[in-house]
Amino acid sequence: MTPAVRLEDVQVAVGGRVLLEVPRLAIESGERVAIIGPNGAGKSTLLRLIGALVEARRGRVEVLGRSIAPGGEADGGHVRQPLSPQERRALRCDTGLLLQGLHLVPRLSARENALIGALGRLRGAKALRSWYRWYPQDLVAEAEAALAALGLADRNGTRVDRLSGGERQKVALARLQLQRPRLLLVDEPTSALDPAATREVCAALCAVAAAPGRTLLTVVHDPELLPVLASRVIGMAEGQVRWDRPLADVTQSRLQALYERNRARVAK
């Protein structure tokens, strides 16, 4: 089976500064993987690379069976071609992104923000009508059901700029549920949330990721969340993967060493 994500000899750089170097990494379909490490470790860069939001300077990047490396680079004796607009659209539909900014539309209701997730599923006249915020009734019902399952049944018509941080996170999760992606890329889903909201959002994320064959890759800032969100953990520092282990092998001493190495580097 083709991995959901495969990287080989990848480097991401801005100007002369290397942000990420990954010799080899594969994530199988259906896995739940967490990325952890200190600030500046390259965690978000890795997530954005897989989400086709940044480009590799070199290397092989395959996501859901599609090569997203820049065109023109040699690959096994062949010349890669960049993704066509249709291929890029298909990849966007199959990849669900939940970044720290959430990227909700503040003036729209919770229901309308959730419905945005379904835009890639619409075709023809239905897609055209969505420009005027006219959605098929079955999709409206699906959005309301997704919000209700997240405890937001009474917030359907509320503008998201009037919701709490935890409620906004749940709306973003409902949007992912409507999108039905094969790959979920989530960047620190519980940052700035209180403990109660953190538990609720983690449970909701796991529910969204529970569909068969759906792959979850999460940047985690709190090691205590690892058992909730992942069965495999990638430790990163200084733009590199330092270790890649099953959750059962991730000890407190291993985590401590990952962060202490970074503190020693910063202190120099």
Side-chain angles (χ1 to χ4, degrees), residues 12-256:
V12 176
V14 175
R17 182 187 175 199
V18 176
L19 302 180
L20 182 71
E21 283 190 304
V22 181
R24 186 178 297 272
L25 177 66
I27 297 172
E28 301 300 327
S29 176
E31 276 198 287
R32 291 189 180 185
V33 181
I35 307 170
I36 197 163
N39 291 337
K43 306 183 300 295
S44 294
T45 300
L46 176 59
L47 207 70
R48 289 172 177 271
L49 172 69
I50 295 169
L53 298 178
V54 299
E55 286 190 344
R57 182 160 72 180
R58 71 160 192 257
R60 181 180 182 182
V61 182
E62 290 185 1
V63 179
L64 300 175
R66 302 178 179 94
S67 176
I68 62 171
E73 294 187 8
D75 183 8
H78 301 282
V79 176
R80 278 196 298 262
Q81 297 299 321
L83 291 177
S84 69
Q86 294 80 8
E87 290 171 327
R88 188 167 292 277
R89 183 178 185 273
L91 181 61
R92 295 287 191 203
C93 291
D94 283 340
T95 305
L97 292 164
L98 182 56
L99 305 179
Q100 291 187 47
L102 298 182
H103 299 93
L104 299 171
V105 183
R107 295 184 179 183
L108 296 186
S109 68
R111 181 195 300 110
E112 289 175 302
N113 271 277
L115 283 164
I116 288 172
L119 291 177
R121 296 161 51 190
L122 299 176
R123 298 291 184 272
K126 291 181 180 179
L128 181 61
R129 285 195 292 269
S130 71
W131 284 91
Y132 301 95
R133 293 156 58 185
W134 298 339
Y135 294 94
Q137 191 56 44
D138 60 331
L139 282 185
V140 174
E142 185 179 340
E144 292 180 350
L147 290 166
L150 294 168
L152 298 178
D154 60 344
R155 295 289 193 268
N156 278 313
T158 304
R159 284 172 41 151
V160 295
D161 57 3
R162 296 173 183 170
L163 299 178
S164 69
E167 289 171 334
R168 288 194 292 271
Q169 290 277 17
K170 291 179 180 179
V171 171
L173 288 169
R175 181 182 62 194
L176 279 183
Q177 185 70 41
L178 268 287
Q179 183 180 343
R180 300 180 183 175
R182 294 164 54 196
L183 173 64
L184 287 85
L185 304 175
V186 182
D187 195 355
E188 297 192 7
T190 63
S191 59
L193 298 183
D194 61 40
T198 292
R199 288 192 296 271
E200 292 177 351
V201 167
C202 283
L205 177 57
C206 289
V208 172
R214 191 167 285 175
T215 306
L216 175 62
L217 182 59
T218 312
V219 171
V220 176
H221 72 283
D222 182 356
E224 293 186 4
L225 298 178
L226 294 177
V228 180
L229 295 173
S231 57
R232 171 184 168 193
V233 183
I234 295 171
M236 294 190 65
E238 302 175 45
Q240 298 180 351
V241 174
R242 296 301 185 189
W243 42 260
D244 181 352
R245 295 182 175 274
L247 176 63
D249 292 346
V250 180
T251 62
Q252 186 61 37
S253 60
R254 196 179 301 280
L255 289 169
Q256 186 175 352

